[in-house]
Amino acid sequence: MAVDYTVIVVYLAGMLAMGWWGMRRAKSKSDFLVAGRRLGPAMYSGTMAAIVLGGASTIGGVGLGYQYGLSGAWMVITIGLGLLALSVFFSARIARLKVYTVSEMLDLRYGGRAGVISGVVMWAYTLMLAVTSTIAYATIFDVLFDMNRTLAIVLGGSIVVAYSTLGGMWSITLTDMVQFVVKTIGVLLLLLPIAVVKAGGFSEMKAALPTEYFDPLGIGGETIFTYVLIYTFGMLIGQDIWQRVFTARSDTTAKWGGTVAGTYCLVYAVAGAVIGTAAKVMYPTLPSADTAFATIVKDELPVGVRGLVLAAALAAVMSTSSGALIACATVANNDIWSRLRGAAPGKDGDEHDEVRGNRAFILIMGIAVICTAIALNNVVEALTVAYNLLVGGLLVPILGGLLWKRGTAQGALAAVVVGGGAVIGLMATYGILANEPIYYGLLSSLAVYVIVSLATPATDPAVLAAWRERLAGRAAEPLSEPVPAHR
């Protein structure tokens, strides 16, 4: 394993070096939080693909392939479809807003303080997303070094916190590009063909497994529908995804670069399912489907290649973890802390103080993420809670603000409270992993949004005029204060 260890150590050292280099470029708040809004198509596509394809998409995607066959690709497919929908229909308008957070967008659109509660909901989502990504280090380092779970989380988490704190989005962008390349080589170009060959080829796989393993809808229509609600819609509104959209150099870059990344996700989805199906042929009685990735890597890959593929798994986890971490810190600082101390969200102050303050928040949130990851056991339940809250509470007011001019601040606030509250109450009633909470939570959020918006005065014309100016890209800098609504 000496060669594999060397590959991993060189990779981790490279991540820290990228963080140090990124620190030299992060001179302003814009540099630190959104990479100066100047990423070109190639870098934008690579980093967007890196953040959405994390440990769940890699280790979990292979596990679903092991359990369900080719239809196990649907979870990652719905992620790719969400990214495609975001890129084609919304990303250009989002990029032109020139804001830092989703809650700032809500303030601009509704002209009030609709972003206060939404900031808390978004913070909870990004925190749990970072936590679940950080827990995945335990699985990878256990395969690598037979390491204690707590130590693995601290080691992996500390490296991500270090490079994220040093250079913010510039460091994360640089590391994500490396991670994108490593994932492409490790998973698509090495693990996929090796796994298929080791399993005897597709003909042997078909002969060894039941026919439902090759049914595109074998995982079940209801499961696919739930994936669409949670992951496709989640891609449309998550702070971690929007913050990457804000890094695009132009709205054209955001649209077409994101389309390339979404297409890449679809290819990655099929690859993970095929690898999992091959693992089922080779190891038909694994105790857990989620161990399929680690088992096939550990037992079937040659020295050196094994280290590179494990580095690819680390890359997948680190890209999602770092993206969620900076999103969590940005929301905590800009949408929660700034409001508590009476500052205008999104307003740029002294650039040095802005960078220093955001760097401090990444460090604080990073420590909180590591501690929570150590204490938490059930990753699936934590991630389900996060996505249910995000989609149930925020999907309707965000998309409503982008698509329906009659939506009001009161309607948006009611949708966040009722939708989020319904999701929490129904998870307590039906169970965290049940489908009903997200179904009924979304319906209640939509109903309340429409009813309250129609029952309250329309949004002030001055607010909508300022909003249209921002959507058209005619306002070069973020407004220091949202336009106040008539009381």
Side-chain angles (χ1 to χ4, degrees):
M1 292 286 288
V3 175
D4 297 324
Y5 292 162
T6 301
V7 172
I8 298 296
V9 170
V10 169
Y11 168 76
L12 294 176
M15 295 300 99
L16 292 174
M18 290 288 184
W20 184 262
W21 191 83
M23 182 176 66
R24 301 173 60 186
R25 303 197 64 169
K27 303 299 185 183
S28 67
K29 178 180 178 179
S30 177
D31 287 336
F32 194 82
L33 294 183
V34 290
R37 306 186 195 273
R38 55 180 186 266
L39 296 191
M43 188 166 282
Y44 178 86
S45 297
T47 57
M48 183 61 88
I51 187 176
V52 300
L53 296 174
S57 300
T58 303
I59 299 171
V62 171
L64 287 171
Y66 183 88
Q67 189 172 359
Y68 297 105
L70 298 185
S71 66
W74 272 107
M75 183 187 78
V76 185
I77 285 175
T78 56
I79 290 173
L81 292 176
L83 185 53
L84 285 171
L86 174 71
S87 301
V88 172
F89 298 112
F90 300 108
S91 63
R93 283 184 282 177
I94 293 170
R96 287 195 292 263
L97 290 174
K98 304 295 184 188
V99 295
Y100 293 107
T101 69
V102 174
S103 295
E104 287 179 45
M105 166 264 171
L106 291 173
D107 274 350
L108 285 168
R109 165 59 182 82
Y110 294 109
R113 284 290 180 252
V116 178
I117 295 178
S118 69
V120 175
V121 174
M122 189 65 77
W123 173 80
Y125 156 73
T126 53
L127 177 71
M128 295 312 300
L129 184 62
V131 166
T132 53
S133 301
T134 303
I135 291 173
Y137 296 126
T139 301
I140 299 170
F141 281 110
D142 177 58
V143 175
L144 282 172
F145 308 116
D146 193 24
M147 187 178 292
N148 172 270
R149 177 182 183 274
T150 299
L151 183 59
I153 289 172
V154 171
L155 176 60
S158 296
I159 292 172
V160 169
V161 172
Y163 72 69
S164 300
T165 301
L166 285 173
M169 187 59 82
W170 266 121
S171 293
I172 293 171
T173 297
L174 295 170
T175 55
D176 276 0
M177 277 305 297
V178 175
Q179 289 158 356
F180 171 74
V181 172
V182 171
K183 276 193 289 192
T184 301
I185 295 173
V187 175
L188 297 184
L189 302 184
L190 292 176
L191 183 57
L192 175 60
I194 290 173
V196 172
V197 170
K198 292 282 188 177
F202 285 105
S203 58
E204 179 62 30
M205 290 163 61
K206 285 187 175 182
L209 296 173
T211 55
E212 56 262 30
Y213 265 74
F214 302 92
D215 180 357
L217 304 178
I219 199 170
E222 184 177 355
T223 298
I224 295 171
F225 181 65
T226 303
Y227 283 160
V228 169
L229 287 182
I230 293 177
Y231 297 113
T232 301
F233 287 150
M235 288 296 106
L236 297 180
I237 60 175
Q239 170 68 24
D240 52 323
I241 308 302
W242 277 41
Q243 199 156 340
R244 293 309 173 95
V245 176
F246 300 151
T247 66
R249 184 169 61 199
S250 65
D251 51 8
T252 302
T253 296
K255 181 176 182 177
W256 295 110
T259 301
V260 171
T263 305
Y264 178 90
C265 290
L266 301 182
V267 175
Y268 200 86
V270 175
V274 171
I275 293 167
T277 305
K280 184 67 175 179
V281 174
M282 291 183 279
Y283 310 98
T285 58
L286 289 178
S288 169
D290 285 339
T291 63
F293 180 90
T295 302
I296 196 171
V297 170
K298 189 174 183 180
D299 294 348
E300 302 297 336
L301 298 187
V303 172
V305 173
R306 180 171 50 206
L308 183 59
V309 172
L310 286 171
L314 271 177
V317 175
M318 283 185 165
S319 57
T320 300
S321 181
S322 59
L325 176 59
I326 193 171
C328 179
T330 302
V331 171
N333 188 14
N334 287 264
D335 295 333
I336 300 176
W337 175 243
S338 66
R339 298 175 193 272
L340 291 177
R341 62 189 178 90
K347 183 177 181 179
D348 291 335
D350 178 83
E351 293 292 4
H352 177 72
D353 289 341
E354 288 284 350
V355 172
R356 185 174 58 186
N358 282 289
R359 184 173 282 137
F361 264 87
I362 290 182
L363 180 59
I364 294 168
M365 291 298 106
I367 294 171
V369 164
I370 292 172
C371 293
T372 307
I374 292 170
L376 202 62
N377 288 318
N378 197 315
V379 181
V380 175
E381 290 190 357
L383 195 60
T384 301
V385 170
Y387 270 100
N388 281 353
L389 278 174
L390 174 71
V391 176
L394 294 181
L395 178 69
V396 170
I398 291 172
L399 292 189
L402 289 169
L403 300 173
W404 190 41
K405 67 179 182 179
R406 185 60 181 83
T408 65
Q410 295 90 335
L413 195 58
V416 174
V417 173
V418 172
V423 164
I424 293 172
L426 290 168
M427 283 192 294
T429 303
Y430 288 98
I432 289 176
L433 299 180
N435 293 327
E436 287 83 358
I438 191 63
Y439 295 165
Y440 300 138
L442 263 178
L443 288 174
S444 63
S445 179
L446 177 61
V448 168
Y449 179 72
V450 173
I451 292 170
V452 174
S453 291
L454 293 176
T456 53
T459 304
D460 191 298
V463 173
L464 290 179
W467 169 253
R468 286 192 292 268
E469 286 291 304
R470 293 296 286 274
L471 282 180
R474 289 191 287 266
E477 297 295 333
L479 299 177
S480 60
E481 292 277 6
V483 180
H486 287 320
R487 297 290 184 251

